[in-house]
Amino acid sequence: MKAMKLAAYDGKAPFEAFDKPDADPGPNEVAIMVEASSVNPVDLKIRQGATPVGPDAPHVLGCDVAGEIVAVGEAVKGFRPGDAVYGCAGGVKGRDGAYSERMVCDARLIAHKPESLSCREAAALPLVAITAWEALVDRAKVQPGERVLVHGGAGGVGHIGVQLARAMGAIVHTTISSKEKAAIAYDLGAERAIDYKEKSVDDYIAEETGGEGYDVVFDTIGGPHLEKSLQGVKVNGRVVTTVGGGASPELAPMHMKNARLDVVLMLIPMLQDQGLDHHGDILMRLARMIESGFIRPLIDDRRFALEEIGAAHDHLKSGDAIGKIVIDIGQNADARPFPPLR
Amino acid sequence: MKAMKLAAYDGKAPFEAFDKPDADPGPNEVAIMVEASSVNPVDLKIRQGATPVGPDAPHVLGCDVAGEIVAVGEAVKGFRPGDAVYGCAGGVKGRDGAYSERMVCDARLIAHKPESLSCREAAALPLVAITAWEALVDRAKVQPGERVLVHGGAGGVGHIGVQLARAMGAIVHTTISSKEKAAIAYDLGAERAIDYKEKSVDDYIAEETGGEGYDVVFDTIGGPHLEKSLQGVKVNGRVVTTVGGGASPELAPMHMKNARLDVVLMLIPMLQDQGLDHHGDILMRLARMIESGFIRPLIDDRRFALEEIGAAHDHLKSGDAIGKIVIDIGQNADARPFPPLR
């Protein structure tokens, strides 16, 4: 069936449509008719040859998937053909990508799609939500009543970070770069949205925390925000970043604070073929939280068909997108088979 | 200043007003002008001689306090005269009680009162909120997306348990005994309120969790609810009860489920003089959560003055109260010095 491939990871080769032969799922795999996928910054890095984690030829990218199971391997439990599922299930070395009408993936990486979300909405979530979960739940272990600062609260990982930390009972502040993004962050449950271009770390630490600093700082942006994170965390606090690559922060402020730094790369289980079922578990619990109204995806207004992956990448690069950029692939990407819960 | 004392722990002796001499705070203590206190089931047990944890003569009961600091010991940090505070700070062996116009207590047991609550509202919270916190945060360590069942979700500890578990990102079900209490539980954030007189554990486990059981069951009622908790928890799940005394549950269902049972008695730090600062920390974080709108107290409509403690006890015994029974003691029990936050 139709899929989009890259001839090379040189940042220039265009996405090209081709006819990908249908593969049978292995014993622990499922085959999915893909309704929607999404674009993530890692796709741009792979395409530019800036990271070695890309999939092997025929180079089908696309990590996030939402769609319907059409075949299951003999050892798969808990899924049947016809089930609507979602996951961050491929598009890296050794794994089939989701920019394709049909995809085969490990069943441990997926979960039943939240019924109240369309495939389009569900496909926006897996990579960013698992990243935020690993950062805030698994690593920082955010406690109720703690103060959490999320850098980039209107971004892909950040918009889930804000909602998840809030859902864990934290008082969530976030840094943003415009009034429009501040409004989004407040709408997602942030208690304060701080324009980092207008306020220094020292100023907002003084104003917002009485000089104490945040219990947890979650850096979803990288660059200067990592140093700012170390500045903004309190004594014995925890910093988690998703953007450790290429950074070499000054550790003295951490030392004086007895602080911890965690770097999260959610692709590790897919790349190393271990801990896959934890991703399925996260998505199962995330689905419950979505049905209970704790978390919702923020999706950019522009729409892209499978053949328009290149334009979707350009849109992500432009920095103009607000929320996740989704790719419509199947005919039912917008369908909601069940009404949203109360 | 005026205080109420019991002559004996025989269930018959009435509360009597007396003039309690003002004590100076010790190095780690503060003196509080009490604006409000509340009634807890442990007060009834102490009065009836059913537990050895009662305060020494002159037998001034009352655990919860909200009021204004009027003097601080020389080693106290973080509090000054004039500060509005709240805590579960006495009324047990070795500690001054709160059924009194003035109270001396350990500064580590208190925290600054949430500004948006009156002393009347704040005094309803400490004992029940610390109990729920120790059960759900410290022991069960509830994770986002887990299913939590709270027995007695419209009760004193239960109504905080429902809100706190919800604030931790859990999907919260609760058992109640009337339609009125079901409405309260839904209002507090419960996803399902189950009338335990109408439905068996097996039935609601099947209907609400697909037969799997709850990740966490929090028993705030005791008696048959403890056995039901062990029945209702899933494999590898956690049960926490506040009512371990006198119970001897059948452990076979726990064994087959690899389950854990925690018993929480929040009075331990006060009784054993250890871990006191953890209670102050909990109340500090609770205050932030209150200001952020995560948690609010449920307070019974009937009002009682300091001289009416006996009637307040009778009201608790009657089982007719909805929410916490508060005692108005100072002139400013209803005052809110600051407007509620957005």
Side-chain angles (χ1 to χ4, degrees), chain A residues 104-125:
Chain A
V104 169
C105 69
D106 195 298
R108 292 170 293 181
L109 290 167
I110 60 170
H112 288 98
K113 179 181 75 62
E115 293 185 351
S116 62
L117 297 189
S118 66
C119 281
R120 182 175 162 72
E121 293 164 325
L125 286 168

Side-chain angles (χ1 to χ4, degrees), chain B residues 1 19 40 48 57 71 97 101 115 197 207 213 215 230 235 248 330:
Chain B
M1 302 193 77
D19 188 42
N40 290 294
Q48 284 163 349
E101 290 176 337
E115 293 186 348
K197 293 180 299 190
E207 285 170 28
D215 295 283
L230 302 175
V235 173
S248 45

Side-chain angles (χ1 to χ4, degrees), chain B residues 219-293:
Chain B
D219 168 30
T220 73
I221 309 285
H225 288 277
L226 180 52
E227 302 258 7
K228 287 182 178 187
S229 299
L230 302 175
Q231 248 184 293
V233 77
K234 71 170 206 179
V235 173
N236 293 315
R238 299 94 82 197
V239 174
V240 188
T241 183
T242 61
V243 198
S248 45
E250 175 66 58
L251 290 192
M254 270 189 79
H255 196 173
M256 291 311 294
K257 282 180 179 173
N258 211 21
R260 181 203 288 165
L261 173 63
D262 269 294
V263 182
V264 167
L265 177 57
M266 74 74 68
L267 300 176
I268 293 288
M270 283 205 287
L271 292 169
Q272 308 212 343
D273 204 32
Q274 59 179 8
L276 301 181
D277 45 3
H278 184 48
H279 282 193
D281 284 346
I282 290 172
L283 293 175
M284 180 270 288
R285 290 211 253 147
L286 178 73
R288 288 183 191 161
M289 294 179 76
I290 288 164
E291 302 298 29
S292 289

